[in-house]
Amino acid sequence: MAFPQTRMRRLRSSAGLRGLVRETDLRAGALVLPMFVAEELSGAGDAGREPIATMPGVQRLSLQEAVAEAAVAAELGLAAVMLFGIPAEKDEQGSGAWDEEGVVQLATRAIKQARPELLVITDVCLCEYTDHGHCGVLRGDGAVDNDATVSLLARTAVSHARAGADMVAPSDMMDGRVGAIREELDGEGFADTPILAYSAKFASAFYGPFRDAAGSTPSFGDRRAYQMDPANGREAEREALLDLQEGADMVMVKPALAYGDLISAVKRATLLPVAAYNVSGEYAMVKAAAAAGYLDERAAVLEILTSLRRAGADTIVSYHAKDAARWLAEQS
Ligand code: PBG
């Protein structure tokens, strides 16, 4: 039956009816807040908090402020915080990444001690720790050495687990890293620590503000020899299936906004819980447009996050997480 018997507007005519048939919900418990924890701050900004010019509302945090921020995340009912470390010193290998007293390891311990119920997910990658800014160690010809990098990533993941991380999230895009991390975790007594694999991570312009925040822009070249080509969707499914085979517990699609088709595709292909990373550039666009008065920030953010859930994301990593949790609490 079509019009006039069928009228789609009938079920849209009141808030009650719209609520009754709403297909997707957004809740704080599905949101993860990324945090930048710095070993050393320049002294600009408030004590322990250094503003990031390209990400209004987000700061580099001292250890103490990271604990305070995690407490806010917990109070707001967010699922987890995801930690990115900014070491005081970088080197060729990125050795700060697996330092037992490294910034992420210290922050993980401090947060877990203060807020044992809040999940701590750690980013496992070398790019914030290498002096050249690439996500792994370099060969003589300047290319990233996959297999040498994989063992360093596994070592890093174990050091995070030892510090108390509830989940480790490799974001480097080396081949075979999920399997290597699983094996190393199991061998070191962390068989119960899950892996959230950044399976389909694209070489994206939308990471710009993050690299600013973490000082991780490659000093030469780009990341296209390890991160994925934005033109490829079938390859994203393949990456996710390989990570599943290697033992990933969850898979991620990143960035999120221009990749909703792949959130759906990966969800169908794997049966694993899927996370979407609403990345720094996506955040910055909304913040800039809202600051200019071009759109309503609250409405835009809730629409964006809801659309990622609709695409199939079980979990959303977003710099908007705290604001979204506050807005959701006001609505209910
Ligand atoms: C590290 C990493 C990056 C992001 C998350 N983990 C940067 C990159 O790959 O250059 C980007 C996150 C964001 O833009 O919010 N490999």
Side-chain angles (χ1 to χ4, degrees), residues 84 123 125 127-128 135 171 201 206-207 210-211 223 227 254 277 279-280 319:
F84 293 93
D123 181 74
C125 193
C127 67
E128 296 111 64
C135 298
S171 67
K201 177 172 177 180
F206 293 103
Y207 306 149
F210 174 101
R211 293 180 190 170
R223 302 204 200 292
Q227 296 180 350
K254 174 185 176 188
Y277 198 141
V279 299
S280 59
Y319 303 95

